[in-house]
Amino acid sequence: MTRMRAIAYGANGLTFQCYHKAVTLLERADLMLDDLYSQKLLTLTASIPHLGRLEEPQGSSTRTSRLCGSVVTVDVSLDVVGRVADFAQEVKACALGQASAAVLGSGVMGASLEEVSQARDALKALLAGDAPAFDDRFADLQVFESVQDYKARHASVMLAFEAAADAMEQALAARAVSAA
């Protein structure tokens, strides 16, 4: 180490050992981010289907992550057998929330509440460390395996699917009330 560098460390109150530890921690943080934000996950964030809001949804739900402030709002309209006929989502979320919304938007058209709920539950199981099988419709949810060790981020990943299941439940409940 040069004398000038040693003086600079001393002037900033850092010893070489402290500086080395700080650099090591930053390098580890970079590796963690690389693990968390895979290329496939980042690609999903670039193309979120069905962005916007429906003018007259049969069901609508908003979910918010208290940790990062991510917000996802889902609007749905169902066909006569209860499958998604029209869908829109407003996504103001972190990369994980955006990627999850992209997977939902790609597969939700024509889905039943049971399919969306199963995907939501399988995603929750994946984040908890299980190895669930995903329906082809939502197979890209497997990308979130890299998030398992980051429990604080699980809520962001779940937002879109929780909002979609709730919006579909609302639509079905409204239909049952109007039929009675």
Side-chain angles (χ1 to χ4, degrees), residues 26 40 45 58 69 72 76 98 114 117 124 130 137 149 155 160 162-163 177 180:
L26 289 172
K40 182 170 183 168
T45 66
Q58 295 172 344
V72 175
V76 297
Q98 290 176 34
E114 181 180 355
S117 296
K124 189 172 186 175
D130 294 338
R137 181 184 293 273
D149 294 335
E162 288 175 346
V177 167

Side-chain angles (χ1 to χ4, degrees), residues 15 38 85 95 126 136 143 148 178:
T15 65
S38 68
L126 176 74
D136 287 345
V143 73
Q148 288 176 345
S178 67

Side-chain angles (χ1 to χ4, degrees), residues 34-45 95-96 98-103 123 126-127 132 134 138-148 150 157 161:
D34 288 345
D35 290 344
L36 185 59
Y37 298 107
S38 68
Q39 186 60 44
K40 182 170 183 168
L41 190 140
L42 293 174
T43 300
L44 287 168
T45 66
L96 295 171
Q98 290 176 34
S100 181
V103 175
L123 178 56
L126 176 74
L127 293 172
F134 291 101
F138 299 115
D140 282 342
L141 288 174
Q142 194 64 45
V143 73
F144 294 105
E145 184 175 9
S146 65
V147 184
Q148 288 176 345
Y150 304 92
V157 174
F161 280 85

